[in-house]
Amino acid sequence: MRGGTRKAVLVTGGAGFLGSYLCEQLIEHGHEVLCVDNFFTGTKRNIAHLLDHPRFELLRHDVTFPLYVEVDEIYNFACPASPIHYQHDPAQTTKTSVHGAINMLGLAKRVGARILQASTSEVYGDPKQHPQNEDYWGHVNPIGPRACYDEGKRCAETLFFDYHRQHRVKIKVVRIFNTYGPRMHPNDGRVVSNFIVQALRGEPITIYGDGSQTRAFCYRDDLIAGCLRMMNTPDDVVGPINIGNPHESTILELAESVLALTGSKSSLVRKPLPQDDPIQRCPDIGRARQQLGWEPTVSLETGLKRTIEYFDALLAGRTTRL
């Protein structure tokens, strides 16, 4: 550890929606941050306000290639997370999860760093258990169009636990459920950003299926707070631990909330449900409450208002620091 409580921290995917806010929080906590991103879905706009900070460094790098740096902690957030982006080049998506995990775990092993894997609720697939707890092994189609992401993240978890058992690497694994907030990509195809952008533009809001499928939406700030708590747990707390909001909403209810909060007159249009799209998704966060003392605090209405404010400014060409 460098300089007492100050740590050198590597964040892969650090220019992305979640990674950029994580970098910001680590800087505010007094750490040195190395942000690594290949800018496939991340953008310099997300970290522009950090570029001149003396404890922040940006490196354009693809985690499918090894990286040789000296750090105390690693947050592995590198991987496209929306279906539109991860299905664009599915083989590369799998490589990012698998080769990226191998390279970051190899780095952690060499320098003795703690490493946190940003896994996903997608490891549960289209679940037969509801809500999903960490002991559930999942229901995933290994040859479907979502498998590049689902199985890539499942394999990454396997690698993390094998490096922990075989090489004593200090690992932390969190499974991130649906998360939203400022800095989401406006064209990432995720339901919250889709609905808000369509509503603000006065375009029809696209609902896939009948809208009865459920999701549980966690605001960005709550999510990152949970990840920071996870990294700071004792070495014997390795996870996996679900990080998400246990309050469930239907897709139709979300659309109605967005319409009400934006004042939009957009109509609703329905399209067929994509293959392997989960019908229910909701975390059991009992383990997070017990082991991290964490649970989300930002209501869906509050989080949506902040996200709408961000997209309203973005679409109008105004700058925003949300």
Side-chain angles (χ1 to χ4, degrees):
M1 185 177 295
R2 292 150 177 76
T5 58
R6 177 179 293 183
K7 301 170 187 173
V9 184
L10 166 62
V11 180
T12 72
F17 156 49
L18 292 176
S20 62
Y21 186 69
L22 173 60
C23 288
E24 189 176 285
Q25 291 298 296
L26 289 165
I27 290 288
E28 288 189 10
H29 282 77
H31 303 307
E32 299 172 5
V33 175
L34 174 59
C35 168
V36 168
D37 208 297
N38 68 352
F39 296 105
F40 176 60
T41 58
T43 171
K44 285 186 180 179
R45 181 181 64 245
N46 289 339
I47 52 167
H49 61 293
L50 297 175
L51 290 175
D52 293 330
H53 197 285
R55 286 185 277 106
F56 181 82
E57 184 177 356
L58 173 63
L59 175 65
R60 183 187 289 268
H61 179 81
D62 189 319
V63 296
T64 61
F65 297 93
L67 182 62
Y68 300 96
V69 293
E70 294 291 328
V71 293
D72 301 304
E73 294 178 349
I74 303 167
Y75 289 83
N76 189 33
F77 273 67
C79 191
S82 70
I84 285 178
H85 290 144
Y86 69 62
Q87 291 174 6
H88 173 73
D89 188 345
Q92 186 62 28
T93 295
T94 304
K95 288 179 182 178
T96 300
S97 286
V98 177
H99 292 184
I102 291 169
N103 288 329
M104 292 305 107
L105 285 162
L107 173 61
K109 177 187 171 186
R110 286 193 300 274
V111 301
R114 280 188 172 194
I115 180 168
L116 181 144
Q117 168 67 358
S119 191
T120 171
S121 60
E122 297 295 334
V123 300
Y124 299 123
D126 187 5
K128 301 301 181 184
Q129 179 193 90
H130 189 77
Q132 295 85 58
N133 66 39
E134 295 87 349
D135 294 327
Y136 177 55
W137 289 355
H139 178 243
V140 175
N141 176 2
I143 59 171
R146 301 170 67 101
C148 59
Y149 185 67
D150 301 0
E151 295 288 32
K153 289 288 193 175
R154 286 164 68 94
C155 184
E157 286 196 15
T158 299
L159 287 161
F160 265 70
F161 278 87
D162 282 340
Y163 267 73
H164 175 63
R165 286 185 289 255
Q166 186 175 348
H167 302 298
R168 304 301 181 194
V169 173
K170 299 173 183 177
I171 68 165
K172 309 285 179 180
V173 177
V174 295
R175 290 176 176 165
I176 296 173
F177 280 69
N178 290 70
T179 306
Y180 71 100
R183 301 182 194 164
M184 293 184 81
H185 197 290
N187 300 313
D188 70 1
R190 285 189 269 197
V191 64
V192 172
S193 52
N194 267 7
F195 285 1
I196 292 175
V197 170
Q198 288 171 337
L200 290 173
R201 288 175 171 166
E203 300 171 351
I205 289 183
T206 307
I207 293 180
Y208 293 94
D210 63 5
S212 64
Q213 65 270 36
T214 68
R215 296 292 185 271
F217 299 102
C218 185
Y219 188 62
R220 174 200 67 182
D221 297 32
D222 282 334
L223 186 285
I224 293 302
C227 292
L228 290 168
R229 287 199 183 195
M230 181 62 170
M231 180 64 91
N232 292 319
T233 54
D235 289 347
D236 61 348
V237 179
V238 298
I241 291 183
N242 291 337
I243 303 291
N245 195 316
H247 300 290
E248 207 170 353
S249 302
T250 69
I251 297 303
L252 185 58
E253 288 170 343
L254 176 68
E256 291 169 344
S257 294
V258 169
L259 286 173
L261 292 170
T262 58
S264 174
K265 303 301 182 184
S266 294
S267 60
L268 303 180
V269 295
R270 287 176 169 79
K271 292 187 178 181
L273 198 65
Q275 182 182 339
D276 300 330
D277 198 56
I279 300 302
Q280 288 184 307
R281 182 62 62 70
C282 183
D284 179 331
I285 63 166
R287 191 176 292 184
R289 286 188 175 114
Q290 179 182 12
Q291 298 189 16
L292 308 182
W294 175 90
E295 61 183 334
T297 61
V298 179
S299 70
L300 182 58
E301 180 178 353
T302 299
L304 286 176
K305 286 179 179 178
R306 295 175 187 171
T307 310
I308 290 166
E309 180 185 349
Y310 169 79
F311 277 114
D312 190 39
L314 184 69
L315 296 176
R318 302 193 305 271
T319 57
T320 176
R321 280 286 307 276
L322 287 172

